[in-house]
Coordinates of all heavy atoms in Angstrom, one line a residue:
M1 N 8.5 -7.5 -20.6 CA 8.1 -8.2 -19.4 C 6.9 -9.1 -19.7 O 6.2 -8.9 -20.7 CB 7.7 -7.2 -18.3 CG 7.4 -7.9 -17.0 SD 7.0 -6.7 -15.6 CE 8.7 -6.1 -15.3
A2 N 6.8 -10.2 -19.0 CA 5.7 -11.2 -19.2 C 4.4 -10.5 -19.0 O 4.2 -9.6 -18.3 CB 5.9 -12.3 -18.3
D3 N 3.4 -11.2 -19.6 CA 2.0 -10.7 -19.5 C 1.4 -11.0 -18.1 O 0.4 -10.4 -17.7 CB 1.1 -11.2 -20.6 CG 1.5 -10.6 -21.9 OD1 2.0 -9.5 -22.0 OD2 1.3 -11.3 -22.9
N4 N 1.8 -12.1 -17.5 CA 1.3 -12.5 -16.2 C 2.4 -13.1 -15.3 O 3.4 -13.4 -15.8 CB 0.1 -13.4 -16.3 CG 0.4 -14.7 -17.0 OD1 1.4 -15.4 -16.6 ND2 -0.3 -15.0 -18.1
M5 N 2.1 -13.3 -14.0 CA 3.1 -13.7 -13.1 C 3.5 -15.1 -13.4 O 4.7 -15.5 -13.2 CB 2.5 -13.7 -11.7 CG 2.1 -12.3 -11.2 SD 3.6 -11.3 -10.8 CE 4.0 -11.8 -9.2
E6 N 2.7 -16.0 -13.9 CA 3.1 -17.4 -14.2 C 4.1 -17.5 -15.3 O 4.9 -18.4 -15.3 CB 1.8 -18.2 -14.6 CG 0.9 -18.5 -13.5 CD -0.1 -17.3 -13.2 OE1 -0.4 -16.5 -14.1 OE2 -0.5 -17.2 -12.1
E7 N 4.2 -16.5 -16.2 CA 5.2 -16.5 -17.3 C 6.5 -16.0 -16.8 O 7.5 -16.1 -17.6 CB 4.7 -15.7 -18.4 CG 3.5 -16.2 -19.1 CD 3.0 -15.3 -20.2 OE1 3.7 -14.4 -20.7 OE2 1.9 -15.5 -20.7
M8 N 6.6 -15.4 -15.7 CA 7.9 -14.8 -15.2 C 8.9 -15.8 -14.7 O 8.5 -16.7 -13.9 CB 7.6 -13.8 -14.1 CG 6.8 -12.6 -14.6 SD 6.6 -11.4 -13.3 CE 5.5 -10.3 -14.1
A9 N 10.1 -15.6 -15.1 CA 11.2 -16.4 -14.6 C 11.7 -15.7 -13.3 O 11.2 -14.7 -12.9 CB 12.3 -16.4 -15.6
G10 N 12.6 -16.4 -12.6 CA 13.1 -15.9 -11.3 C 13.5 -14.5 -11.3 O 13.0 -13.7 -10.5
P11 N 14.4 -14.1 -12.2 CA 14.8 -12.7 -12.2 C 13.7 -11.7 -12.5 O 13.6 -10.6 -11.9 CB 15.9 -12.6 -13.3 CG 16.3 -14.0 -13.5 CD 15.1 -14.9 -13.2
E12 N 12.7 -12.0 -13.4 CA 11.6 -11.1 -13.6 C 10.7 -11.0 -12.4 O 10.3 -9.9 -12.1 CB 10.8 -11.6 -14.8 CG 11.4 -11.4 -16.2 CD 10.5 -11.9 -17.3 OE1 10.0 -13.0 -17.2 OE2 10.4 -11.2 -18.3
L13 N 10.5 -12.1 -11.7 CA 9.7 -12.0 -10.5 C 10.4 -11.2 -9.4 O 9.7 -10.4 -8.8 CB 9.4 -13.5 -10.0 CG 8.4 -13.6 -8.8 CD1 7.1 -12.9 -9.1 CD2 8.2 -15.0 -8.5
E14 N 11.7 -11.4 -9.3 CA 12.4 -10.5 -8.4 C 12.3 -9.1 -8.7 O 12.2 -8.2 -7.8 CB 13.9 -11.0 -8.3 CG 14.1 -12.3 -7.6 CD 13.5 -12.4 -6.2 OE1 13.7 -11.5 -5.4 OE2 12.8 -13.3 -5.9
Q15 N 12.3 -8.7 -10.0 CA 12.2 -7.3 -10.4 C 10.8 -6.8 -10.0 O 10.7 -5.7 -9.6 CB 12.4 -7.2 -11.9 CG 12.6 -5.8 -12.4 CD 13.9 -5.2 -11.9 OE1 14.8 -5.9 -11.5 NE2 13.9 -3.9 -11.8
V16 N 9.8 -7.6 -10.2 CA 8.4 -7.2 -9.8 C 8.4 -6.9 -8.3 O 7.8 -5.9 -7.9 CB 7.4 -8.2 -10.2 CG1 6.0 -7.9 -9.6 CG2 7.2 -8.3 -11.7
K17 N 9.0 -7.8 -7.5 CA 9.0 -7.6 -6.1 C 9.7 -6.3 -5.7 O 9.3 -5.5 -4.8 CB 9.7 -8.7 -5.4 CG 8.9 -10.0 -5.4 CD 9.7 -11.2 -4.7 CE 9.0 -12.5 -4.8 NZ 9.8 -13.6 -4.2
I18 N 10.8 -6.0 -6.4 CA 11.6 -4.7 -6.2 C 10.7 -3.5 -6.5 O 10.6 -2.6 -5.8 CB 12.9 -4.7 -7.0 CG1 13.9 -5.7 -6.4 CG2 13.5 -3.3 -7.0 CD1 15.1 -5.9 -7.3
I19 N 10.0 -3.6 -7.6 CA 9.1 -2.5 -8.0 C 8.0 -2.3 -7.0 O 7.7 -1.2 -6.6 CB 8.5 -2.8 -9.4 CG1 9.6 -2.8 -10.5 CG2 7.3 -1.9 -9.7 CD1 9.2 -3.4 -11.8
L20 N 7.3 -3.4 -6.6 CA 6.2 -3.3 -5.6 C 6.7 -2.8 -4.3 O 6.0 -1.9 -3.6 CB 5.5 -4.7 -5.4 CG 4.8 -5.2 -6.6 CD1 4.2 -6.6 -6.4 CD2 3.7 -4.2 -7.0
N21 N 7.9 -3.2 -3.8 CA 8.4 -2.7 -2.6 C 8.8 -1.2 -2.7 O 8.5 -0.5 -1.7 CB 9.6 -3.5 -2.1 CG 9.3 -4.9 -1.6 OD1 8.2 -5.0 -1.0 ND2 10.1 -5.8 -1.7
T22 N 9.3 -0.8 -3.8 CA 9.6 0.6 -4.0 C 8.3 1.4 -4.0 O 8.3 2.5 -3.4 CB 10.3 0.8 -5.4 OG1 11.5 0.0 -5.3 CG2 10.7 2.2 -5.6
L23 N 7.2 0.9 -4.7 CA 6.0 1.6 -4.7 C 5.4 1.8 -3.2 O 4.9 2.8 -2.9 CB 5.0 1.0 -5.6 CG 5.3 1.1 -7.1 CD1 4.3 0.2 -7.9 CD2 5.2 2.6 -7.5
Y24 N 5.5 0.7 -2.5 CA 5.1 0.7 -1.1 C 5.9 1.8 -0.3 O 5.3 2.6 0.5 CB 5.3 -0.6 -0.4 CG 4.9 -0.6 1.1 CD1 3.6 -0.5 1.5 CD2 5.9 -0.6 2.0 CE1 3.2 -0.4 2.8 CE2 5.5 -0.5 3.4 CZ 4.2 -0.4 3.8 OH 3.9 -0.4 5.1
L25 N 7.2 1.9 -0.5 CA 8.0 2.9 0.2 C 7.6 4.3 -0.3 O 7.7 5.2 0.5 CB 9.5 2.6 -0.1 CG 10.0 1.3 0.6 CD1 11.5 1.1 0.1 CD2 10.0 1.4 2.1
C26 N 7.2 4.4 -1.5 CA 6.7 5.7 -2.0 C 5.4 6.1 -1.3 O 5.3 7.3 -0.9 CB 6.5 5.7 -3.5 SG 8.1 5.6 -4.5
I27 N 4.5 5.2 -1.1 CA 3.3 5.5 -0.4 C 3.6 5.9 1.0 O 3.0 6.8 1.5 CB 2.3 4.3 -0.5 CG1 1.9 4.0 -1.9 CG2 1.1 4.5 0.5 CD1 1.1 2.7 -2.1
E28 N 4.5 5.1 1.7 CA 4.9 5.4 3.0 C 5.5 6.8 3.1 O 5.2 7.6 4.0 CB 5.9 4.4 3.5 CG 6.3 4.6 5.0 CD 7.2 3.5 5.5 OE1 8.2 3.3 4.8 OE2 6.9 3.0 6.6
Y29 N 6.3 7.2 2.1 CA 6.9 8.5 2.1 C 5.8 9.6 2.0 O 5.9 10.6 2.6 CB 7.9 8.6 0.9 CG 8.5 10.0 0.7 CD1 9.7 10.3 1.4 CD2 7.9 10.9 -0.1 CE1 10.2 11.6 1.2 CE2 8.4 12.2 -0.3 CZ 9.6 12.5 0.4 OH 10.1 13.8 0.3
A30 N 4.9 9.3 1.1 CA 3.8 10.3 0.9 C 3.0 10.5 2.2 O 2.6 11.6 2.6 CB 2.8 9.8 -0.2
V31 N 2.7 9.4 2.9 CA 2.0 9.5 4.2 C 2.8 10.3 5.2 O 2.3 11.2 5.9 CB 1.6 8.1 4.7 CG1 1.0 8.2 6.1 CG2 0.6 7.5 3.8
R32 N 4.1 10.0 5.3 CA 5.0 10.8 6.2 C 5.0 12.3 5.8 O 5.0 13.1 6.7 CB 6.4 10.2 6.2 CG 6.5 8.9 6.9 CD 7.9 8.3 6.9 NE 8.0 7.0 7.4 CZ 8.2 6.7 8.7 NH1 8.3 7.7 9.5 NH2 8.2 5.5 9.1
H33 N 5.1 12.5 4.5 CA 5.1 13.9 4.1 C 3.8 14.6 4.5 O 3.9 15.8 4.9 CB 5.3 13.9 2.5 CG 5.3 15.3 1.9 ND1 6.4 16.1 1.9 CD2 4.3 16.1 1.4 CE1 6.1 17.2 1.3 NE2 4.9 17.2 1.0
V34 N 2.7 14.0 4.3 CA 1.4 14.6 4.7 C 1.4 14.8 6.2 O 1.0 15.9 6.6 CB 0.2 13.7 4.2 CG1 -1.1 14.2 4.9 CG2 0.1 13.7 2.7
A35 N 1.9 13.9 6.9 CA 1.9 14.0 8.4 C 2.8 15.2 8.8 O 2.4 16.0 9.7 CB 2.4 12.8 9.1
K36 N 3.9 15.4 8.1 CA 4.8 16.5 8.5 C 4.3 17.8 8.1 O 4.4 18.8 8.8 CB 6.2 16.2 7.8 CG 7.2 17.3 8.1 CD 8.5 16.9 7.5 CE 9.6 18.0 7.7 NZ 10.9 17.8 7.1
H37 N 3.7 17.9 6.9 CA 3.3 19.2 6.3 C 1.9 19.6 6.5 O 1.5 20.8 6.5 CB 3.7 19.3 4.9 CG 5.2 19.2 4.6 ND1 6.0 20.3 4.8 CD2 5.9 18.1 4.2 CE1 7.2 19.9 4.5 NE2 7.2 18.6 4.2
E38 N 1.0 18.6 6.7 CA -0.4 18.9 6.9 C -0.9 18.4 8.3 O -2.1 18.7 8.6 CB -1.2 18.3 5.8 CG -0.9 18.9 4.4 CD -1.7 18.3 3.3 OE1 -2.9 17.9 3.5 OE2 -1.1 18.1 2.2
G39 N -0.1 17.7 9.0 CA -0.5 17.2 10.3 C -0.9 15.8 10.4 O -1.3 15.1 9.4
P40 N -0.7 15.2 11.6 CA -1.0 13.8 11.8 C -2.5 13.4 11.5 O -2.7 12.3 11.0 CB -0.7 13.5 13.3 CG 0.1 14.7 13.7 CD -0.2 15.8 12.8
E41 N -3.4 14.3 11.7 CA -4.8 13.9 11.4 C -5.0 13.8 9.9 O -5.7 12.9 9.5 CB -5.7 15.0 12.0 CG -7.2 14.6 11.9 CD -8.1 15.5 12.7 OE1 -7.6 16.3 13.5 OE2 -9.3 15.5 12.4
A42 N -4.4 14.7 9.1 CA -4.5 14.5 7.7 C -3.9 13.2 7.2 O -4.4 12.6 6.3 CB -3.8 15.7 7.0
A43 N -2.8 12.8 7.8 CA -2.1 11.6 7.4 C -3.0 10.4 7.8 O -3.2 9.4 7.0 CB -0.8 11.4 8.0
S44 N -3.6 10.4 8.9 CA -4.5 9.4 9.4 C -5.7 9.3 8.5 O -6.2 8.2 8.1 CB -5.0 9.6 10.8 OG -3.9 9.4 11.7
D45 N -6.3 10.5 8.1 CA -7.4 10.5 7.1 C -7.0 9.9 5.8 O -7.8 9.2 5.2 CB -7.9 11.9 6.9 CG -8.6 12.5 8.2 OD1 -9.0 11.7 9.1 OD2 -8.8 13.7 8.2
L46 N -5.8 10.3 5.3 CA -5.3 9.7 4.0 C -5.3 8.2 4.1 O -5.8 7.5 3.2 CB -3.9 10.3 3.7 CG -3.2 9.7 2.5 CD1 -4.0 9.9 1.2 CD2 -1.8 10.2 2.4
K47 N -4.7 7.7 5.1 CA -4.6 6.2 5.3 C -5.9 5.6 5.4 O -6.2 4.6 4.7 CB -3.7 5.9 6.5 CG -3.6 4.4 6.8 CD -2.7 4.2 8.0 CE -2.7 2.7 8.4 NZ -1.9 2.5 9.6
A48 N -6.8 6.1 6.2 CA -8.2 5.6 6.3 C -8.9 5.6 5.0 O -9.6 4.6 4.6 CB -8.9 6.3 7.4
N49 N -8.8 6.7 4.3 CA -9.5 6.8 3.0 C -8.9 5.9 1.9 O -9.6 5.4 1.1 CB -9.5 8.3 2.5 CG -10.4 9.2 3.3 OD1 -11.4 8.7 3.9 ND2 -10.0 10.4 3.4
M50 N -7.6 5.7 2.0 CA -6.9 4.8 1.1 C -7.4 3.4 1.3 O -7.8 2.6 0.4 CB -5.4 4.9 1.2 CG -4.7 4.1 0.1 SD -2.9 4.1 0.3 CE -2.5 5.8 0.9
L51 N -7.5 3.0 2.6 CA -8.0 1.6 2.9 C -9.5 1.5 2.5 O -9.8 0.4 1.9 CB -7.9 1.4 4.4 CG -6.5 1.0 4.9 CD1 -6.4 1.1 6.4 CD2 -6.1 -0.4 4.4
K52 N -10.3 2.5 2.7 CA -11.7 2.4 2.3 C -11.8 2.3 0.8 O -12.6 1.5 0.3 CB -12.4 3.7 2.8 CG -13.9 3.7 2.5 CD -14.5 5.0 3.0 CE -16.0 5.1 2.6 NZ -16.6 6.3 3.0
A53 N -11.0 3.0 0.0 CA -11.0 2.9 -1.4 C -10.6 1.6 -1.9 O -11.1 1.0 -2.9 CB -10.2 4.1 -2.0
L54 N -9.6 1.0 -1.3 CA -9.1 -0.3 -1.7 C -10.1 -1.4 -1.4 O -10.4 -2.2 -2.2 CB -7.8 -0.7 -0.9 CG -6.5 0.0 -1.4 CD1 -5.4 -0.2 -0.4 CD2 -6.1 -0.6 -2.8
E55 N -10.7 -1.3 -0.2 CA -11.7 -2.3 0.2 C -13.0 -2.2 -0.6 O -13.6 -3.3 -0.8 CB -12.0 -2.1 1.7 CG -10.8 -2.6 2.6 CD -10.9 -2.2 4.0 OE1 -11.8 -1.3 4.4 OE2 -10.1 -2.7 4.8
S56 N -13.3 -1.1 -1.1 CA -14.6 -0.9 -1.9 C -14.3 -1.2 -3.3 O -15.3 -1.3 -4.1 CB -15.1 0.5 -1.7 OG -14.3 1.4 -2.3
G57 N -13.1 -1.3 -3.7 CA -12.7 -1.5 -5.2 C -12.6 -0.2 -5.9 O -12.4 -0.2 -7.2
D58 N -12.7 1.0 -5.3 CA -12.6 2.2 -6.0 C -11.2 2.4 -6.6 O -11.0 3.1 -7.6 CB -12.9 3.4 -5.1 CG -14.4 3.5 -4.7 OD1 -15.2 2.8 -5.5 OD2 -14.7 4.2 -3.8
I59 N -10.2 1.9 -5.9 CA -8.8 2.0 -6.5 C -8.5 1.0 -7.5 O -8.0 1.3 -8.6 CB -7.7 2.0 -5.3 CG1 -7.8 3.3 -4.5 CG2 -6.3 1.8 -5.9 CD1 -6.9 3.4 -3.4
D60 N -8.9 -0.3 -7.3 CA -8.6 -1.3 -8.3 C -9.5 -2.5 -8.0 O -9.4 -3.3 -7.2 CB -7.1 -1.8 -8.1 CG -6.8 -2.8 -9.2 OD1 -7.6 -3.2 -10.0 OD2 -5.6 -3.3 -9.1
M61 N -10.5 -2.6 -8.9 CA -11.5 -3.6 -8.8 C -10.9 -5.0 -8.9 O -11.3 -6.0 -8.2 CB -12.6 -3.5 -9.8 CG -13.6 -2.3 -9.6 SD -14.5 -2.4 -8.1 CE -15.6 -3.7 -8.4
A62 N -9.9 -5.2 -9.7 CA -9.2 -6.5 -9.9 C -8.6 -7.0 -8.6 O -8.5 -8.2 -8.4 CB -8.2 -6.4 -11.0
L63 N -8.3 -6.1 -7.7 CA -7.7 -6.5 -6.5 C -8.6 -7.4 -5.7 O -8.2 -8.3 -4.9 CB -7.3 -5.3 -5.7 CG -6.6 -5.5 -4.3 CD1 -5.2 -6.1 -4.6 CD2 -6.4 -4.1 -3.7
L64 N -9.9 -7.1 -5.8 CA -10.9 -7.9 -5.0 C -11.1 -9.3 -5.5 O -11.6 -10.1 -4.8 CB -12.3 -7.2 -5.1 CG -12.3 -5.7 -4.6 CD1 -13.7 -5.1 -4.9 CD2 -12.0 -5.7 -3.1
E65 N -10.6 -9.7 -6.7 CA -10.8 -11.0 -7.3 C -9.9 -12.1 -6.6 O -10.3 -13.2 -6.6 CB -10.5 -10.9 -8.8 CG -11.5 -10.1 -9.5 CD -11.2 -9.9 -11.0 OE1 -10.3 -10.7 -11.5 OE2 -11.8 -9.1 -11.6
E66 N -8.8 -11.7 -6.1 CA -7.9 -12.7 -5.5 C -7.7 -12.4 -4.0 O -7.1 -11.4 -3.6 CB -6.5 -12.6 -6.2 CG -5.4 -13.5 -5.6 CD -5.7 -15.0 -5.8 OE1 -6.2 -15.4 -6.9 OE2 -5.5 -15.8 -4.9
T67 N -8.3 -13.2 -3.2 CA -8.3 -13.0 -1.7 C -6.9 -12.8 -1.1 O -6.7 -11.9 -0.4 CB -9.0 -14.1 -1.0 OG1 -10.3 -14.3 -1.5 CG2 -9.1 -13.9 0.5
K68 N -6.0 -13.7 -1.5 CA -4.6 -13.6 -0.9 C -4.0 -12.2 -1.3 O -3.3 -11.6 -0.5 CB -3.7 -14.7 -1.4 CG -4.1 -16.0 -0.7 CD -3.3 -17.3 -1.1 CE -2.1 -17.1 -2.0 NZ -1.4 -18.3 -2.3
T69 N -4.1 -11.8 -2.5 CA -3.5 -10.6 -3.0 C -4.2 -9.4 -2.3 O -3.5 -8.5 -1.8 CB -3.7 -10.4 -4.5 OG1 -3.1 -11.6 -5.2 CG2 -3.0 -9.2 -5.0
F70 N -5.5 -9.4 -2.2 CA -6.3 -8.4 -1.5 C -5.8 -8.2 -0.1 O -5.5 -7.1 0.4 CB -7.8 -8.7 -1.6 CG -8.6 -7.7 -0.8 CD1 -8.9 -6.5 -1.4 CD2 -9.1 -8.1 0.4 CE1 -9.7 -5.6 -0.7 CE2 -9.9 -7.2 1.1 CZ -10.2 -5.9 0.6
E71 N -5.7 -9.3 0.6 CA -5.3 -9.3 2.0 C -3.9 -8.8 2.2 O -3.6 -8.1 3.1 CB -5.5 -10.7 2.7 CG -7.0 -11.1 2.8 CD -7.2 -12.5 3.3 OE1 -6.2 -13.3 3.4 OE2 -8.3 -12.8 3.5
L72 N -3.0 -9.2 1.3 CA -1.6 -8.7 1.3 C -1.6 -7.2 1.2 O -0.9 -6.5 1.9 CB -0.8 -9.4 0.3 CG 0.7 -8.9 0.2 CD1 1.4 -9.1 1.5 CD2 1.4 -9.4 -1.0
V73 N -2.2 -6.7 0.2 CA -2.2 -5.2 -0.1 C -2.8 -4.5 1.1 O -2.3 -3.5 1.6 CB -3.0 -4.9 -1.4 CG1 -3.1 -3.4 -1.6 CG2 -2.2 -5.4 -2.6
I74 N -4.0 -4.9 1.6 CA -4.6 -4.3 2.7 C -3.7 -4.3 3.9 O -3.5 -3.3 4.6 CB -6.0 -4.9 3.1 CG1 -7.0 -4.7 1.9 CG2 -6.5 -4.4 4.4 CD1 -7.3 -3.3 1.6
S75 N -3.1 -5.4 4.2 CA -2.2 -5.5 5.4 C -1.0 -4.6 5.2 O -0.6 -4.0 6.2 CB -1.7 -6.9 5.6 OG -0.8 -7.3 4.7
K76 N -0.4 -4.4 4.0 CA 0.7 -3.5 3.8 C 0.3 -2.1 4.1 O 1.0 -1.3 4.7 CB 1.3 -3.7 2.4 CG 1.9 -5.0 2.2 CD 3.1 -5.2 3.1 CE 4.3 -4.4 2.7 NZ 5.5 -4.7 3.5
I77 N -0.9 -1.7 3.6 CA -1.4 -0.3 3.8 C -1.7 -0.1 5.3 O -1.4 0.9 5.9 CB -2.6 0.0 3.0 CG1 -2.3 -0.1 1.5 CG2 -3.2 1.4 3.3 CD1 -1.2 0.8 1.0
E78 N -2.3 -1.1 6.0 CA -2.5 -1.0 7.4 C -1.2 -0.8 8.2 O -1.2 -0.2 9.2 CB -3.3 -2.2 7.9 CG -4.7 -2.3 7.4 CD -5.4 -3.5 7.8 OE1 -4.8 -4.6 8.1 OE2 -6.7 -3.5 7.8
Q79 N -0.2 -1.4 7.7 CA 1.1 -1.3 8.4 C 1.8 0.1 8.3 O 2.8 0.3 8.9 CB 2.1 -2.4 7.9 CG 1.7 -3.7 8.3 CD 2.5 -4.8 7.6 OE1 3.7 -4.6 7.3 NE2 2.0 -6.0 7.4
L80 N 1.3 0.9 7.4 CA 1.9 2.3 7.2 C 1.9 3.0 8.6 O 0.8 3.1 9.2 CB 1.1 3.1 6.2 CG 1.3 2.7 4.7 CD1 0.3 3.5 3.9 CD2 2.7 2.9 4.2
T81 N 3.0 3.5 9.0 CA 3.1 4.2 10.2 C 4.0 5.4 10.1 O 4.8 5.5 9.1 CB 3.7 3.3 11.3 OG1 5.0 2.9 10.9 CG2 2.9 2.1 11.6
W82 N 3.9 6.3 11.0 CA 4.8 7.4 11.2 C 4.8 7.8 12.6 O 4.0 7.2 13.4 CB 4.3 8.6 10.3 CG 2.9 9.0 10.5 CD1 2.5 10.1 11.3 CD2 1.7 8.5 10.1 NE1 1.1 10.2 11.4 CE2 0.6 9.2 10.6 CE3 1.4 7.4 9.2 CZ2 -0.7 8.9 10.3 CZ3 0.1 7.1 9.0 CH2 -1.0 7.9 9.5
D83 N 5.6 8.6 13.0 CA 5.6 9.0 14.5 C 4.4 9.8 14.8 O 4.5 11.0 14.9 CB 6.9 9.8 14.8 CG 8.2 8.9 14.5 OD1 8.1 7.7 14.6 OD2 9.2 9.5 14.1
D84 N 3.3 9.1 15.1 CA 2.1 9.8 15.3 C 1.2 8.9 16.2 O 0.9 7.8 15.9 CB 1.4 10.0 14.0 CG -0.1 10.4 14.1 OD1 -0.4 11.1 15.0 OD2 -0.8 9.9 13.2
P85 N 0.8 9.4 17.3 CA -0.1 8.7 18.2 C -1.5 8.3 17.6 O -2.1 7.3 18.0 CB -0.2 9.5 19.5 CG 0.2 10.9 19.1 CD 1.1 10.7 17.9
I86 N -2.0 9.2 16.7 CA -3.2 8.9 16.1 C -3.2 7.6 15.3 O -4.1 6.8 15.3 CB -3.7 10.0 15.1 CG1 -3.9 11.3 16.0 CG2 -4.9 9.7 14.3 CD1 -4.2 12.6 15.1
S87 N -2.1 7.3 14.5 CA -2.0 6.1 13.7 C -1.9 4.9 14.5 O -2.3 3.8 14.1 CB -0.8 6.2 12.8 OG 0.4 6.1 13.6
E88 N -1.4 4.9 15.7 CA -1.3 3.8 16.6 C -2.7 3.1 16.9 O -2.8 1.9 17.0 CB -0.6 4.1 17.9 CG 0.9 4.5 17.7 CD 1.5 5.0 18.9 OE1 1.0 4.8 20.0 OE2 2.7 5.4 18.8
G89 N -3.7 3.9 17.0 CA -5.0 3.4 17.2 C -5.8 3.0 16.0 O -6.8 2.4 16.1
Q90 N -5.2 3.2 14.8 CA -6.0 3.0 13.6 C -5.4 1.9 12.7 O -6.0 1.6 11.7 CB -6.1 4.3 12.7 CG -6.9 5.3 13.4 CD -7.1 6.5 12.4 OE1 -6.6 6.5 11.3 NE2 -7.9 7.4 12.8
G91 N -4.4 1.3 13.0 CA -3.9 0.3 12.1 C -2.7 -0.3 12.4 O -2.0 -1.0 11.9

C-alpha cells in the first residue's frame, strides 16, 4: 500500500474507504454491545469519553493537524446511535 493518500490510485483509495467504513461499523457494534450488556448509560459514557479523547488528542494527536479530517472523524463518532433515549440528547 502507498505511504500516503496522494500516492494512492483509485482502487487503493477505495480500499482505504472500505477499511475505514468497516472500522466505523466495528465501533458502532462495540457501542451497541456495551448498551445491550452494560446499559445505555455505559454506552453514552463510552461515546462521550471517546469524543473527549479524540478532541484532546489522547487517541491520535495527528488527527488534530488536519481540520477537515478531525471534523469528519468527530462527526462520525457523534453520529453513533443505538436505541437509547440517553444518546438522543448527547450527539
